[in-house]
Amino acid sequence: MKIGDIDLGSQPLFLAPMEDVTDPSFRYMCKQFGADVVTTEFISSDGLIRDAWKSRAKLNIDEAERPVGIQIYGHLIEPMVEAARIAESANPDFIDINFGCPVKKIASRGAGSGMMRDVPLMVEMTRQIVEAVKLPVTVKTRLGWDEESKNIMDIALRLQDVGIRALTIHGRTRSQMYRGEADWTLIGEVKNNPAIHIPIIGNGDVDSAQKAKQMFDRYGVDGVMIGRATYGRPWIFREVKHYLQTGELLPQPSVVERVEIAKRHLAKSIEIKGDRVGILEMRRHMSNYFKGLPDFKQTRLKLVTLFDEQEIYSTLDYVAQRWGDYDMSGAVPPSLSHDI
């Protein structure tokens, strides 16, 4: 599979962009475990053109992340075009447009999946962005606005015509939000339409190596994007790759290995964002590495309240000592966040 000139090999795995989750340190960890492509948290076009520090900070990418995309969203063409140019100046490998976020405050303004209610505007916005930047442009979207308007086939063909280089489809409508099961049937129909010649990446409910293989085999997608199942579990990419290559399931990481992963993640977060912010933003990940441990409440509380780096490392060492022999084979953390 290729995005423009970027060769991703066969059956690449993508980390879904997730607000407040896929920050640089988490993207780094997922890359270390085999994610082929990562994308930033989505960035407001209005925030970029107003030079808002929070939006600008999301443009920061590291060489170790490549290939990496910057995802933008908005509801007006001119700000989106300008935001794409600003994003391009940060030197990612591609620009991704978010036409899929179902959150009310986004969609109600006509951005994210709200754009699915005005397909001509979606297509024109995409066309102008494609023409404004030299990098490949990709799109992430959903099946449609609701059950009565699953128009992804028409959208895919029209976006392809204006020059996007890949399309990611989440197998739900906007009205579903994240409820129910993702429907991959239409994703497969888009992929197998002979008029479609861009790569199609499937997204939605992939939470195991077996399910990822099933989506490749049953629907023929070019790539699989994994979102919520990565939270507290960046090693899922290692699991999927091993299973695709060998048909064997890897055991879940031991408590001791999880401690070492958490330490590496914390160190990277502090390296990128400094002590205070790095520790604060690591809290959303830290305890999720240890979901399923018995009698863990007090230790969890320490991990998410301590501010001293060395105290956190000492607490992690205690976790390895106290629960080192605990069998984590059934401790797959629940999906707690939303891929957008």
Side-chain angles (χ1 to χ4, degrees):
M1 172 187 164
K2 285 187 174 184
I3 296 177
D5 294 328
I6 308 165
D7 191 344
L8 303 175
S10 62
Q11 297 185 320
L13 303 177
F14 293 68
L15 171 65
M18 294 177 283
E19 179 71 355
D20 294 328
V21 178
T22 52
D23 61 7
S25 63
F26 187 69
R27 299 197 302 266
Y28 173 83
M29 295 304 297
C30 289
K31 288 292 290 190
Q32 296 300 298
F33 282 105
D36 294 294
V37 184
V38 298
T39 308
T40 64
E41 302 166 83
F42 72 164
I43 307 175
S44 163
S45 58
D46 292 339
L48 281 183
I49 64 176
R50 290 198 313 267
D51 204 24
W53 71 267
K54 187 173 182 180
S55 295
R56 288 279 180 165
K58 291 180 181 179
L59 293 176
N60 295 331
I61 56 178
D62 187 89
E63 286 300 309
E65 297 182 53
R66 297 193 184 278
V68 56
I70 291 177
Q71 188 184 77
I72 58 175
Y73 76 94
H75 66 290
L76 298 174
I77 291 178
E78 289 187 10
M80 280 289 283
V81 169
E82 181 60 24
R85 292 193 179 106
I86 294 169
E88 184 175 42
S89 69
N91 196 30
D93 296 287
F94 61 95
I95 305 292
D96 189 62
I97 308 173
N98 183 310
F99 291 144
C101 178
V103 175
K104 183 177 180 179
K105 68 179 181 180
I106 304 295
S108 63
R109 296 177 59 212
S113 60
M115 195 66 69
M116 304 193 82
R117 303 178 82 178
D118 191 344
V119 175
L121 177 60
M122 173 197 287
V123 173
E124 179 59 19
M125 177 183 289
T126 305
R127 182 188 68 79
Q128 291 197 33
I129 291 172
V130 168
E131 292 178 355
V133 298
K134 295 183 175 64
L135 291 173
V137 174
T138 63
V139 164
K140 186 172 191 286
T141 190
R142 289 184 164 232
L143 300 179
W145 178 259
D146 55 26
E147 287 297 312
E148 286 68 48
S149 58
K150 291 184 177 180
N151 52 347
I152 185 59
M153 186 69 78
D154 177 59
I155 287 172
L157 290 167
R158 294 176 69 175
L159 292 178
Q160 175 179 265
D161 287 346
V162 297
I164 68 167
R165 308 306 288 271
L167 176 65
T168 299
I169 305 171
H170 181 97
R172 289 182 174 88
T173 64
R174 187 273 165 182
S175 296
Q176 282 182 270
M177 301 292 286
Y178 297 93
R179 297 184 296 270
E181 292 185 8
D183 178 7
W184 280 63
T185 306
L186 274 177
I187 300 175
E189 289 181 12
V190 172
K191 168 57 194 172
N192 294 296
N193 184 333
I196 292 288
H197 54 76
I198 58 173
I200 300 298
I201 302 147
N203 172 229
D205 293 352
V206 176
D207 57 6
S208 68
Q210 303 98 308
K211 190 167 286 187
K213 185 176 189 303
Q214 180 185 45
M215 300 315 178
F216 277 121
D217 293 348
R218 179 177 295 180
Y219 301 104
V221 291
D222 298 284
V224 164
M225 180 174 283
I226 307 176
R228 289 171 285 168
T230 66
Y231 202 36
R233 191 182 168 200
W235 52 81
I236 190 173
F237 295 102
R238 178 177 68 184
E239 296 174 2
V240 174
K241 282 189 172 292
H242 184 81
Y243 188 73
L244 290 175
Q245 293 166 3
T246 68
E248 299 172 348
L249 290 173
L250 288 173
Q252 289 297 303
S254 67
V255 173
V256 172
E257 184 178 358
R258 290 169 192 242
V259 165
E260 292 308 308
I261 292 168
K263 286 182 176 180
R264 284 162 51 201
H265 192 169
L266 175 61
K268 192 67 177 178
S269 186
I270 291 172
E271 174 192 328
I272 293 170
K273 297 192 174 182
D275 290 355
R276 183 174 179 82
V277 176
I279 289 171
L280 277 172
E281 296 198 356
M282 181 63 191
R283 288 176 178 175
R284 66 174 70 111
H285 300 284
M286 182 67 77
S287 65
N288 288 292
Y289 282 130
F290 306 107
K291 287 284 185 182
L293 286 182
D295 305 316
F296 193 68
K297 183 177 180 180
Q298 291 302 316
T299 305
R300 175 192 176 279
L301 188 61
K302 288 184 70 175
L303 287 173
V304 299
T305 55
L306 287 172
F307 263 110
D308 183 82
E309 179 182 353
Q310 292 309 312
E311 287 188 57
I312 298 172
Y313 283 125
S314 295
T315 304
L316 287 169
D317 287 337
Y318 169 74
V319 172
Q321 180 182 14
R322 167 69 174 79
W323 286 278
D325 294 330
Y326 186 79
D327 182 6
M328 297 296 288
S329 60
V332 177
S335 299
L336 298 179
S337 73
H338 300 315
D339 49 327
I340 56 177

